[in-house]
Amino acid sequence: MIQATIATIATLSLLSTAALAAEHDVPGDFQTIQQAVTAASSGDVINVGPGTWSGRVDFRGKDLWIRSTDGTEETILDAGSLSSVVMFISGEGTGAILEGFTITGGTGQLFKGELTGGGIQIVNSSPTIRDCHITGNTATFGGGMAIWQGEPILDNCLFTDNHATNDGGGLRLHEYTTLVMEDCNFVGNTAGVFGGAVNYGHYSEGHHINCEFDGNSAGLRGGAIASACECNDPQLTGTDICNSVPDHILGGWQDFGGNDFCPVCAMDLNTDGVVNVNDVLQVINAWGGCVCVEDVDGDNVVGVNDLLAVIDEYGQCPG
């Protein structure tokens, strides 16, 4: 289990940042956020005024505190469908802080041949992101955010209406990522394959603390969370999940208490409101290797386990 708490790490980050910080104002000192980043040194603070700021923000390996002066509703970072909106790709640590922005209009950045991280792309970095609204971004993997080999902190962030054509509509974790999420909400995110809200991949670990998932959907499995590999470790504490399509969670996860799930009818494969012989026949007709909705357990093979899972939920779906 992840040992460090967001409050402890965030406090230490703030203390270290404040000790030698110089402050830069946008637009007072610089006309763009990226100009301020170029001029600043690690430990500096960049205060961003209200308005819509176009283009990409790349922290460029500096542990900067970039914060809005007027909050998410008044301060928007918009990539204009040209790239990821914010990038942490040069070894930034938890002292690299992004606070108080709406992040939108991102379409991802090429990484290992795929467009990843529509809103925010994190590679080999561990930033702190808090009080941000990530909305209306798209990518192949990680429509809202993609993380590859990092230990970021997400605090009080909202993911809405992001889309991944493959996995992780709101968020994609991959390749030995460890993530702490506290008071984060995922609403109306979608994925073409797995993980409408969050998708775990290849030895990734995440702790969802007091989070909410509502109305997220995946094309195949894991409307809220997908973790098809036993190598991953999603952990939930005090988290509510509701209105997921077609199901809440694909794969194993750890229950640390206080979690609440509304009813879901995951085995209603043809979505007619009842699990019956038609769903059984649908599994039989898809028998064999495939990536499809009939692969209930997400192991890329439609077989006996999938058939038994459908039979186990035979009957009328909950209203």
Side-chain angles (χ1 to χ4, degrees):
M1 176 180 174
I2 300 169
Q3 298 297 320
T5 66
I6 287 179
T8 300
I9 297 174
T11 300
L12 292 174
S13 296
L14 284 175
L15 289 174
S16 62
T17 300
L20 298 172
E23 294 200 19
H24 311 276
D25 295 331
V26 179
D29 299 320
F30 299 94
Q31 290 305 303
T32 70
I33 300 171
Q34 197 60 52
Q35 286 175 353
V37 169
T38 300
S41 301
S42 284
D44 287 359
V45 178
I46 298 174
N47 302 304
V48 180
T52 297
W53 301 91
S54 60
R56 183 177 67 196
V57 176
D58 186 342
F59 273 62
R60 295 188 176 175
K62 301 177 182 181
D63 282 357
L64 304 170
W65 183 6
I66 302 180
R67 62 187 181 185
S68 69
T69 60
D70 289 56
T72 58
E73 293 187 5
E74 301 296 330
T75 321
I76 300 165
L77 307 182
D78 190 338
S81 301
L82 297 177
S83 67
S84 300
V85 186
V86 182
M87 301 179 67
F88 302 91
I89 60 172
S90 303
E92 294 87 357
T94 53
I97 303 170
L98 184 71
E99 178 178 3
F101 295 92
T102 291
I103 297 161
T104 192
T107 52
Q109 198 74 11
L110 275 175
F111 182 71
K112 293 187 179 293
E114 302 287 356
L115 285 171
T116 67
I120 300 176
Q121 186 183 58
I122 301 172
V123 179
N124 296 316
S125 300
S126 305
T128 300
I129 301 168
R130 61 169 171 258
D131 300 332
C132 285
H133 182 190
I134 299 100
T135 184
N137 303 285
T138 63
T140 306
F141 295 94
M145 180 186 301
I147 308 167
W148 183 284
Q149 292 185 345
E151 299 183 6
I153 298 168
L154 302 184
D155 184 14
N156 194 37
C157 289
L158 173 63
F159 291 76
T160 65
D161 302 317
N162 301 288
H163 177 70
T165 54
N166 278 28
D167 302 336
L171 170 65
R172 162 78 168 175
L173 295 73
H174 198 74
E175 197 73 18
Y176 301 97
T177 289
T178 300
L179 175 63
V180 180
M181 294 155 277
E182 187 165 2
D183 297 319
C184 291
N185 296 340
F186 296 81
V187 181
N189 301 285
T190 59
V193 186
F194 296 125
V198 180
N199 178 258
Y200 283 79
H202 201 209
Y203 296 94
S204 291
E205 175 183 355
H207 196 174
H208 304 261
I209 305 168
N210 300 329
C211 295
E212 293 185 8
F213 294 77
D214 189 22
N216 301 286
S217 64
L220 293 185
R221 289 287 158 191
I225 298 172
S227 175
C229 175
E230 292 182 359
C231 60
N232 300 316
D233 186 20
Q235 306 162 13
L236 274 63
T237 301
T239 290
D240 297 339
I241 301 182
C242 201
N243 300 316
S244 307
V245 178
D247 50 4
H248 290 319
I249 301 179
L250 169 67
W253 59 283
Q254 292 196 61
D255 184 352
F256 289 105
N259 301 301
D260 186 53
F261 298 78
C262 67
V264 67
C265 198
M267 300 305 115
D268 179 18
L269 303 181
N270 61 1
T271 64
D272 64 355
V274 61
V275 180
N276 59 18
V277 65
N278 292 325
D279 302 291
V280 171
L281 291 174
Q282 190 166 324
V283 171
I284 293 172
N285 288 336
W287 206 267
C290 79
V291 177
C292 53
V293 70
E294 293 81 10
D295 176 23
V296 171
D297 60 6
D299 64 355
N300 297 327
V301 176
V302 178
V304 173
N305 291 336
D306 305 296
L307 184 61
L308 292 175
V310 171
I311 293 172
D312 190 54
E313 289 197 15
Y314 216 82
Q316 192 70 35
C317 291

